[in-house]
Amino acid sequence: MPADESTTPQPAPRRIVVLAGGVGGSRFTRGVLAAWPQAEVTVIANTADDITLHGLRICPDIDTMLYTLGGGIDEAKGWGRRDEGWLIGEELAAYGAEPTWFGLGDRDIATHLVRTQMLGNGYPLSQVTEVLAARWLADLPRLRVLPMTDDRVETHVLITDSDTASGRRAVHFQEFWVRLHAAPAVEQVVFVGIEQASPAPGVLDALAEADLILLAPSNPVVSIGPILAVPGIRGALRTAGAPVVGFSGILGGAPVLGMADKLLPAIGVEVSAAGVGRHYGPRSGTGILDAWLVDAADEAAAATLAAEGLPTLPMPLLMTDPAATARFVTAGAAFARPPRPAA
Amino acid sequence: MPADESTTPQPAPRRIVVLAGGVGGSRFTRGVLAAWPQAEVTVIANTADDITLHGLRICPDIDTMLYTLGGGIDEAKGWGRRDEGWLIGEELAAYGAEPTWFGLGDRDIATHLVRTQMLGNGYPLSQVTEVLAARWLADLPRLRVLPMTDDRVETHVLITDSDTASGRRAVHFQEFWVRLHAAPAVEQVVFVGIEQASPAPGVLDALAEADLILLAPSNPVVSIGPILAVPGIRGALRTAGAPVVGFSGILGGAPVLGMADKLLPAIGVEVSAAGVGRHYGPRSGTGILDAWLVDAADEAAAATLAAEGLPTLPMPLLMTDPAATARFVTAGAAFARPPRPAA
């Protein structure tokens, strides 16, 4: 006798896509892998944080993802390599080589050397990433990391600067973040090159073939923002057959990681779980989400957003460990695609 | 009352040029600086050993010179940085990045990063070298290191290789030396690009303005050889007003450093102080030397060469310390330009 289908829970997703930035996105992906141990997971990683320093092409979000999932991350910091050395930085400073504000570890530099050389030889970033992943994800073949695009896109931040004639100055996001500690007032955020960018090979197919799409609780402005701004990706989310579930990185009114609070106002979005939820918006309207998860502390916002048409689930969203993350991603998936009702 | 000029020894040289390779050339240059503490010394360094690995442009001879004279050398090895780290090499190997046979230290890589980036930005090697020297030779402004040329020249070695259809194979000199330990039979040595190369800015002027020109006891085939092969340099030595003094690196029939014995036969030169002396030849004939110094062990060769027209001085040539080197370079200079005889 067959099992009673009416009580069978929905099958576990087999093909999951995660849109992600660096530190938070990597922790989130750990939870996704823990939640569904059989699923194939494709991460579409932000590449607009990428920067060229000392002639090296650096992709912070991809590297953080590979190091974190491959066991090479400095767990305490959340980025960079563990057992890292700092001789090269010392030497570059002795040569007076600028800039000195971006700390490049010795082990980390090896990654950038391999990448820079391959890019110089004409390989696209997606293939370079595959080669790097062959080392880091050798034991995790069900995880694939794709750059959002093979084209060069860089986030620049227009900051208030009274020392300039115009009263403002454009700096690379990394300079804003690492050197200026996100202190200056932000007037505008620009993804240089985004209009000419195309999704990297595999990105649109992954979205079309997914049975679950997740937006990590990464920075909505400079991590998820550029991914959604690559022409074609937002449309692919709108038309995807899979439910699209987003997770708020703003918990109780403040970001857990990073500095979304410094950047959201520049794009006219309130620094709150509700503000970001409205910014993404429901697919039933003009947005991209079928469901939105906010922290338990933002329960009031959940009710408001639900009333506005965005199904919102409040629950603890702190990524204290992969199991905690797995709990809320599983809940989010179930919330977005509830078990089939009795026939 | 003026000093009696008839007994005044020749004045110390004020402008000295040294043609040099890496390890031996650097030790030799230390001796030259010790011999004449007031002189301005210009080193014309071999760049045909240069190689691009992992996208980094590496100039072994220039770097060894800067590190040695700037106090950064690994004194025990004679090349590379002291207090060196090896994390990057470990990482590159973990990525499977080829080649793995050339050990690149972490501190050393910083030098290559600065160079590679500047070359990529369009600066010629001579200007790059000046920037690197600004760090290493800051306390030694009377020493200037010039690459022999700003053009790309690379020594390739045609070796016997029974695994190939032709029975031979061309490899970069570094592969021959570092990877193959100079073991294969050498059929030919080729300086790729040398015909199109020009002396770097300052090289010909330095030779024309020198009052003493020294050939370091570096490898005659792959260190001094390429310098002499840059179109214009050999001619400048032939016409220079200063005496040209060479020093044998073959002592008692064997090279003290390196592997000249593996390479001299390939250019038809006997592995001996006499063979190399004849190879350079006297300026009174078609050669470039006014004087040739051989080791005390090669006294018999000295007599033979002198009889053949090359003034040759035998004396101990082991560079045990800068003072020992200073003794024989001073003797060589005096031998080439004896004190003015009484009027």
Side-chain angles (χ1 to χ4, degrees):
Chain A
M1 197 173 116
D4 181 357
E5 287 198 357
S6 68
T7 63
T8 305
Q10 67 184 81
R14 288 174 306 169
R15 287 188 294 267
I16 303 171
V17 171
V18 178
L19 274 59
V23 179
S26 300
R27 290 187 188 162
F28 181 79
T29 301
R30 271 187 175 161
V32 172
L33 290 164
W36 294 290
Q38 308 302 322
E40 295 194 349
V41 177
T42 298
V43 169
I44 300 175
N46 172 42
T47 59
D49 286 7
D50 296 4
I51 189 167
T52 300
L53 296 173
H54 306 292
L56 298 167
R57 189 65 181 166
I58 302 165
C59 301
D61 286 359
I62 287 176
D63 291 346
T64 298
M65 187 66 70
L66 295 177
Y67 296 165
T68 302
L69 278 306
I73 201 79
D74 180 329
E75 295 281 355
K77 285 194 305 184
W79 56 271
R81 296 291 311 278
R82 67 179 152 83
D83 305 322
E84 185 58 292
W86 301 94
L87 294 180
I88 295 204
E90 194 182 299
E91 293 293 325
L92 290 174
Y95 280 119
E98 295 288 343
T100 54
W101 49 261
F102 196 96
L104 282 172
D106 299 337
R107 290 187 191 277
D108 194 31
I109 283 176
T111 303
H112 311 322
L113 275 176
V114 173
R115 173 187 294 120
T116 303
Q117 190 181 10
M118 287 192 70
L119 291 172
N121 288 342
Y123 291 93
L125 182 60
S126 51
Q127 285 184 35
V128 175
T129 304
E130 218 176 304
V131 166
L132 298 176
R135 170 182 176 192
W136 292 108
L137 307 182
D139 296 332
L140 200 53
R142 67 190 180 99
L143 176 62
R144 186 169 58 140
V145 178
L146 301 179
M148 65 185 200
T149 179
D150 277 337
D151 300 307
R152 185 160 171 162
V153 175
E154 288 190 358
T155 301
H156 286 208
V157 181
L158 195 64
I159 58 173
T160 302
D161 183 350
S162 56
D163 289 346
T164 65
S166 64
R168 57 182 65 86
R169 184 160 64 96
V171 295
H172 190 287
F173 170 69
Q174 296 293 351
E175 184 173 355
F176 171 74
W177 192 2
V178 179
R179 182 184 182 199
L180 303 172
H181 308 291
V186 176
E187 303 193 3
Q188 204 183 335
V189 177
V190 183
F191 307 134
V192 178
I194 199 84
E195 292 85 358
Q196 291 75 42
S198 309
V203 165
L204 296 183
D205 285 348
L207 289 169
E209 293 162 10
D211 44 27
L212 180 61
I213 298 172
L214 306 172
L215 268 61
S218 302
N219 189 310
V221 185
V222 293
S223 296
I224 303 297
I227 303 175
L228 297 177
V230 174
I233 292 188
R234 190 187 169 84
L237 285 170
R238 291 272 304 159
T239 58
V244 181
V245 187
F247 297 80
S248 179
I250 311 276
L251 276 60
V256 177
L257 280 170
M259 54 195 67
D261 52 326
K262 303 290 297 186
L263 295 165
L264 284 166
I267 62 165
V269 174
E270 185 187 279
V271 183
S272 70
V276 177
R278 286 189 194 104
H279 170 60
Y280 290 143
R283 276 220 285 193
S284 61
T286 58
I288 53 170
L289 295 179
D290 297 306
W292 179 235
L293 268 74
V294 301
D295 190 60
D298 298 304
E299 197 165 359
T304 310
L305 289 172
E308 292 171 21
L310 177 60
T312 303
L313 176 68
M315 70 177 293
L317 291 191
L318 265 184
M319 297 191 283
T320 43
D321 57 42
T325 308
R327 274 193 294 278
F328 72 70
V329 295
T330 310
F335 178 67
R337 193 174 55 174
R340 193 182 306 173
Chain B
M1 197 172 118
D4 181 0
E5 287 199 358
S6 68
T7 61
T8 305
Q10 67 183 81
R14 287 174 307 168
R15 287 189 293 268
I16 303 170
V17 171
V18 178
L19 275 58
V23 179
S26 301
R27 289 186 188 163
F28 182 79
T29 301
R30 270 187 175 162
V32 172
L33 291 164
W36 296 289
Q38 307 302 322
E40 295 193 349
V41 177
T42 298
V43 169
I44 300 175
N46 171 42
T47 59
D49 286 7
D50 296 4
I51 190 168
T52 300
L53 296 173
H54 306 292
L56 298 167
R57 189 66 180 164
I58 302 165
C59 300
D61 286 0
I62 288 175
D63 291 346
T64 298
M65 188 65 71
L66 295 178
Y67 297 164
T68 302
L69 279 305
I73 201 80
D74 181 328
E75 294 282 354
K77 286 193 305 183
W79 55 271
R81 296 291 311 280
R82 67 179 152 81
D83 305 324
E84 185 57 291
W86 301 95
L87 294 181
I88 294 205
E90 194 183 298
E91 294 293 325
L92 290 174
Y95 280 119
E98 293 290 341
T100 53
W101 48 263
F102 195 96
L104 282 172
D106 299 336
R107 290 187 190 277
D108 194 31
I109 283 176
T111 302
H112 311 322
L113 274 176
V114 172
R115 173 187 295 119
T116 303
Q117 191 181 9
M118 285 192 71
L119 290 172
N121 288 342
Y123 291 93
L125 182 60
S126 50
Q127 285 184 34
V128 174
T129 304
E130 217 176 305
V131 165
L132 298 176
R135 170 182 175 192
W136 292 108
L137 307 181
D139 296 333
L140 200 53
R142 69 190 179 99
L143 176 63
R144 187 170 56 141
V145 177
L146 301 179
M148 66 185 199
T149 180
D150 278 337
D151 300 307
R152 186 161 171 161
V153 175
E154 287 190 359
T155 300
H156 286 208
V157 181
L158 195 65
I159 58 173
T160 302
D161 182 350
S162 57
D163 290 345
T164 65
S166 64
R168 58 182 63 86
R169 183 161 64 98
V171 296
H172 190 287
F173 170 70
Q174 296 293 352
E175 184 173 355
F176 171 75
W177 192 2
V178 179
R179 183 185 182 199
L180 303 172
H181 308 291
V186 176
E187 304 193 3
Q188 202 184 337
V189 177
V190 183
F191 307 134
V192 178
I194 198 85
E195 293 84 359
Q196 291 75 42
S198 309
V203 165
L204 296 183
D205 286 348
L207 289 168
E209 294 161 8
D211 44 27
L212 180 62
I213 298 173
L214 306 172
L215 268 62
S218 303
N219 190 310
V221 186
V222 293
S223 296
I224 304 297
I227 304 175
L228 297 177
V230 174
I233 292 187
R234 190 186 169 85
L237 285 170
R238 292 273 302 160
T239 59
V244 181
V245 187
F247 297 80
S248 178
I250 312 277
L251 276 60
V256 178
L257 280 170
M259 54 195 66
D261 52 326
K262 303 290 295 186
L263 295 164
L264 283 166
I267 62 165
V269 174
E270 186 188 278
V271 183
S272 70
V276 177
R278 286 188 194 104
H279 170 62
Y280 289 144
R283 275 218 286 192
S284 60
T286 58
I288 52 170
L289 295 180
D290 296 307
W292 178 235
L293 268 74
V294 301
D295 190 59
D298 298 304
E299 198 165 358
T304 310
L305 289 172
E308 292 172 20
L310 177 60
T312 302
L313 175 68
M315 70 176 294
L317 291 191
L318 266 183
M319 296 192 284
T320 43
D321 57 41
T325 308
R327 275 192 295 277
F328 72 69
V329 296
T330 311
F335 178 67
R337 193 175 55 174
R340 192 182 307 172

